[in-house]
Amino acid sequence: MKIALITAFPPSRHALNEYGFHIANQLRQESCIDLTVLGDYLQTPAEELPGFKVNRCWGFGKNGNLATLWRAIRKVKPEVAWFNLGFASFGDRPLSAMLGLVTPAAARLNGIHSHVTLHQLFETVNLEDAAVSSQRLYRAGGWLATHLLLSANSLSVLMPAYRRTLDDKYQRGQVSVRSHGIFAERPEPPDFTRRGNPVHRILAFGKWGTYKRLELLIEAFHRIATKFPNVELVIGGGDHPKTPGYVQSMGQRHASDRIRFLGYVPEDAIADLFRETSLAVMPYTSSAGSSGVAHLAAQYGVPVIASGIQDFRDLAEHERIAIRFFTPGDVDSLVEQMLLALNSPDDLKSMAWQNYAAGVAMSMPQVVREYIKSFRQQQRVKTLQLAAGLRRDGESRRSDSLARTVGERIQKWQDEDEIAASSA
């Protein structure tokens, strides 16, 4: 099966580039998959990651993305065009964002099976937190963009509540719920000798400045540090694009020997960062989708404390991730939950093992193979529909051509099934 994966892709640092990398990394290891990554332009020249076929054919904020992407898709001639998207993947202005989001529907109209993995819904975004200036225009644009994405052949969301929202509000499209997944094939069990020995590391990780802010957490940490001396706060990640300079300003005011600001954390440094973390904290005021940080915590068996917003409660229930919740915006509640966790080694270990088990249950190979299985089923349904059409057409050149196409596809199924059976 030939797949074109449309995604931000490293060494790009645009949103969802890490997720796109891990999807691509798994796809290239799967039997019978011929993968081409259609990635975003790099702001500065850099070498491509080895082992991937990458065509840089679109860019964040570019109004010509629909045309350049479509030319690239036509050149690849994939059986599946798989889009890894958020609403702002193609730009932070209405025109560039909307033109890019037309592409999945355009692919379908031109006979290519298009699938969208959608990481958030605009309905769940707190517009004030997201610094949206024209909320009425944003809602109208979000409604239109959602309809465009539902015009793809199929669409996946990462939370059950998101499918309910789409079914209730839009009542169209083929929508499935998928696991976000962790980024490892075989996650390692937590090594507790690297945690709290003697210092407990509290980790906050993300792109900071809008709905992910640090003031509440830093205030809570100062209060905890007076009662729990062997603790440090580590803040990883840079600024949200809408709040340039935020992390630097927070670092200038609060950095110390007990509060460290790491800035951007490269992919190869993330593992050790989480392995040495006793507690991950997500002090967000709203959500923008299934949390990548929560899934990293699951991958490395790290307990989580998070704002008690509905998306996080749904995530804990849906994927069985152990999360302690505090009242959003309430520093006393956050301090209470952090102290309860830090003062209970048994609870920390229990939460760590629960999250590790949750991670094992949603490894990236499992997640990607479910997508591939779905793509193959949809292809086979389409082929059987063609076969049914042959009987209606009777004798004609067109039916002869369709018969050859159907025969070739059925033979391809048999070859794929034999390879899959031999590698199982």
Side-chain angles (χ1 to χ4, degrees):
M1 181 188 302
K2 185 178 286 190
I3 294 178
L5 178 64
I6 297 90
T7 180
F9 194 74
S12 162
R13 295 185 182 180
H14 281 128
L16 302 179
N17 75 86
E18 296 96 341
Y19 198 78
F21 165 76
H22 288 285
I23 291 175
N25 191 45
Q26 185 58 43
L27 282 172
R28 69 172 179 162
Q29 299 177 52
E30 295 294 322
S31 302
C32 298
I33 298 297
D34 179 0
L35 173 67
T36 301
V37 176
L38 302 183
D40 52 333
Y41 301 131
L42 300 176
Q43 292 182 327
T44 57
E47 291 187 10
E48 297 290 357
L49 301 182
F52 294 93
K53 289 190 294 183
V54 182
N55 178 359
R56 301 278 174 184
C57 59
W58 62 274
F60 185 82
K62 303 289 186 182
N63 292 338
N65 285 332
L66 173 60
T68 57
L69 252 177
W70 178 239
R71 284 198 294 269
I73 291 171
R74 288 183 62 187
K75 184 177 180 180
V76 173
K77 297 180 181 178
E79 293 160 274
V80 177
W82 182 357
F83 295 80
N84 175 46
L85 297 179
F87 282 100
S89 288
F90 293 109
D92 55 1
R93 295 182 180 276
L95 183 61
S96 58
M98 199 67 69
L99 287 173
L101 296 177
V102 171
T103 315
R108 178 180 184 174
L109 288 173
N110 285 275
I112 295 172
H113 184 92
S114 60
H115 181 84
V116 175
T117 296
L118 184 61
H119 287 255
Q120 71 270 141
L121 300 185
F122 86 91
E123 287 88 350
T124 67
V125 176
N126 184 312
L127 301 185
E128 292 183 2
D129 283 348
V132 173
S133 56
S134 177
Q135 297 187 9
R136 182 177 296 180
L137 180 61
Y138 180 90
R139 290 191 183 95
W143 179 86
L144 176 59
T146 304
H147 273 290
L148 288 172
L149 294 175
L150 286 167
S151 298
N153 291 89
S154 53
L155 181 145
S156 293
V157 291
L158 306 179
M159 305 270 278
Y162 290 4
R163 180 169 64 181
R164 291 194 295 271
T165 297
L166 293 176
D167 289 344
D168 293 344
K169 184 173 180 179
Y170 298 92
Q171 300 180 2
R172 61 185 296 262
Q174 182 178 329
V175 182
S176 302
V177 180
R178 307 279 184 190
S179 289
H180 177 288
I182 63 168
F183 293 160
E185 182 173 352
R186 295 182 182 88
E188 297 177 10
D191 180 358
F192 296 107
T193 65
R194 302 180 68 175
R195 303 176 184 180
N197 190 20
V199 176
H200 282 290
R201 171 182 287 173
I202 299 170
L203 175 65
F205 193 74
K207 290 187 177 181
W208 303 101
T210 53
Y211 63 93
K212 298 181 181 181
R213 296 191 69 86
L214 296 166
E215 289 85 352
L216 185 81
L217 175 59
I218 290 173
E219 181 182 350
F221 177 79
H222 283 307
R223 290 168 56 175
I224 287 168
T226 64
K227 302 177 181 181
F228 205 96
N230 292 328
V231 66
E232 70 172 3
L233 175 62
V234 177
I235 297 167
D239 298 321
H240 189 279
K242 291 186 176 180
T243 55
Y246 173 75
V247 172
Q248 182 181 7
S249 68
M250 293 298 291
Q252 289 171 345
R253 286 183 296 188
H254 299 288
S256 68
D257 58 348
R258 301 185 70 179
I259 302 179
R260 294 193 289 127
F261 289 78
L262 303 182
Y264 175 79
V265 180
E267 181 77 22
D268 58 5
I270 288 175
D272 282 338
L273 180 63
F274 276 83
R275 287 179 184 134
E276 296 172 358
T277 292
S278 297
L279 194 61
V281 182
M282 304 193 316
Y284 312 160
T285 53
S286 64
S287 171
S290 187
S291 170
V293 175
H295 289 89
L296 282 168
Q299 178 173 332
Y300 295 104
V302 177
V304 178
I305 293 177
S307 302
I309 56 182
Q310 192 58 49
D311 275 2
F312 291 158
R313 293 184 182 277
D314 290 344
L315 176 66
E317 180 180 354
H318 174 51
E319 297 189 336
R320 302 184 184 279
I321 296 176
I323 303 176
R324 283 182 176 271
F325 296 105
F326 71 93
T327 304
D330 188 333
V331 67
D332 293 331
S333 177
L334 176 55
V335 169
E336 178 186 8
Q337 292 302 323
M338 292 171 72
L339 284 175
L340 284 172
L342 292 169
N343 282 313
S344 179
D346 289 343
D347 279 358
L348 282 179
K349 285 190 176 182
S350 176
M351 292 177 72
W353 283 119
Q354 180 178 333
N355 285 349
Y356 171 71
V360 169
M362 53 178 174
S363 66
M364 190 54 67
Q366 291 170 297
V367 170
V368 168
R369 285 166 190 163
E370 284 299 313
Y371 277 103
I372 294 171
K373 180 180 177 182
S374 173
F375 297 156
R376 284 179 173 154
Q377 288 173 340
Q378 290 161 348
Q379 280 188 319
R380 295 180 184 195
V381 167
K382 184 176 180 180
T383 299
L384 292 174
Q385 289 171 339
L386 285 174
L390 285 173
R391 293 192 292 271
R392 294 193 298 269
D393 286 348
E395 295 297 327
S396 68
R397 287 186 178 179
R398 180 174 179 272
S399 62
D400 290 343
S401 175
L402 280 175
R404 284 194 298 273
T405 298
V406 170
E408 289 168 357
R409 290 184 182 178
I410 291 175
Q411 181 61 54
K412 187 176 181 180
W413 298 351
Q414 294 172 342
D415 295 341
E416 289 175 348
D417 290 344
E418 287 176 4
I419 292 173
S422 65
S423 61

